[in-house]
Amino acid sequence: MKPLLELAGVSAAYLGAKILFDLDLSLADGEVVALVGRNGAGKSTLIKTVMGIQVRRSGSIRYDGQDIVRLPAHAIARLGVGYVPEERRVFGDLTILENLEVGRQPPRQGAPVWTTEALFEIFPNLEELRHRPAGQTSGGEQQMLAIARTLMGNPRLVLLDEPSEGLAPVIVEQMAAAVGKLKSQGLSVLLSEQNLRFAGVVADRAYVIESGHIRFSGSMQGLIENADVRRAHLSV
């Protein structure tokens, strides 16, 4: 089956410094793939490289068969790629509902179609707070809102940057359950994640990144069972 997203020989530089080195990666339609590694390993840079943000890129990045390596971020978004940044960047003065309306886009062929009601079923915390300004909600609620707002654009692929970062364990569990529900709706997800337990719950496959190089690629279960890889590249 042809990958939905395929990277071949991709390198990236930021502020003149090369950060990613000749990476190969693929993601199938409806698959959840995790980029796992220590802080500073290059996970977020790889997410931004796919999205066309802040970096100089080389190599081939194909989305649904089209090479997007030279496209700007807004053009990539129009093709059906959603991006949830680590910083969340919700509109603090707007309510939950108003934030969701900001993200609304028409349906896309081959992608799940989302409404506020469908998203409230996945993120019930947001329904209870629908009229509250986003700036008056918790970090976990803002993370849920950032994901939900991106889904209002009806993307086929979502890039999630560190979705569990800084969240309480109970919220991390809720987030994992939400990602599982998104996958069941046919959404494809590429996520960067330091929390191996979270990644193990939601991801089908994993790539371990260290110093801008891929050190492991395989099933998520294979990574969990490979103590040598985890000790060499993931232990603090």
Side-chain angles (χ1 to χ4, degrees):
M1 183 171 61
K2 182 176 69 175
L4 177 63
L5 179 70
E6 187 172 25
L7 280 63
V10 170
S11 296
Y14 178 64
L15 296 178
K18 195 170 182 180
I19 300 175
L20 302 179
F21 302 86
D22 300 315
L23 304 188
D24 297 335
L25 178 150
S26 67
L27 181 148
D29 213 358
E31 189 177 31
V32 177
V33 172
L35 309 172
V36 186
R38 300 183 181 103
N39 189 34
K43 305 184 303 300
S44 293
T45 299
L46 181 50
I47 292 284
K48 291 176 180 177
T49 297
V50 173
M51 198 67 214
I53 297 174
Q54 293 186 342
V55 296
R56 290 190 298 104
R57 303 173 291 175
S58 62
S60 172
I61 303 176
R62 304 191 72 84
Y63 169 72
D64 197 22
Q66 177 178 346
D67 197 334
I68 62 172
V69 75
R70 300 189 186 280
L71 295 183
H74 68 270
I76 295 171
R78 286 173 181 166
L79 292 175
V81 181
Y83 171 57
V84 183
E86 182 180 0
E87 304 86 358
R88 298 159 190 161
R89 297 180 186 172
V90 299
F91 297 103
D93 293 335
L94 301 183
T95 66
I96 297 290
L97 275 175
E98 289 168 338
N99 267 272
L100 294 177
E101 286 302 317
V102 168
R104 185 184 293 275
Q105 294 289 327
R108 301 176 191 275
Q109 185 175 0
V113 178
W114 297 98
T115 63
T116 54
E117 291 75 18
L119 290 168
F120 286 153
E121 290 183 10
I122 293 176
F123 301 106
N125 303 49
L126 298 183
E127 183 175 21
E128 298 172 5
L129 304 170
R130 61 170 67 193
H131 299 299
R132 181 176 298 183
Q136 297 178 19
T137 61
S138 70
E141 290 156 353
Q142 290 184 21
Q143 182 65 279
M144 294 175 188
L145 175 58
I147 295 172
R149 183 182 61 188
T150 296
L151 293 175
M152 286 295 288
N154 298 313
R156 188 173 173 188
L157 167 66
V158 169
L159 310 177
L160 273 179
D161 196 359
E162 301 283 3
S164 74
E165 178 72 18
L167 302 184
V170 64
I171 301 298
V172 172
E173 291 181 9
Q174 294 176 13
M175 196 69 66
V179 174
K181 291 176 182 177
L182 299 180
K183 180 186 173 185
S184 72
Q185 296 296 315
L187 190 69
S188 304
V189 180
L190 178 65
L191 65 95
S192 70
E193 187 55 67
Q194 291 188 61
N195 186 333
L196 186 60
R197 180 173 296 180
F198 177 86
V201 171
V202 303
D204 301 297
R205 293 188 300 112
Y207 292 86
V208 174
I209 300 179
E210 183 181 51
S211 302
H213 297 270
I214 291 178
R215 307 298 188 185
F216 170 92
S217 65
S219 70
M220 193 71 237
Q221 188 62 35
L223 174 58
I224 291 172
E225 294 174 354
N226 194 324
D228 292 338
V229 169
R230 289 188 285 104
R231 187 181 306 110
H233 305 299
L234 300 178
S235 299
V236 177

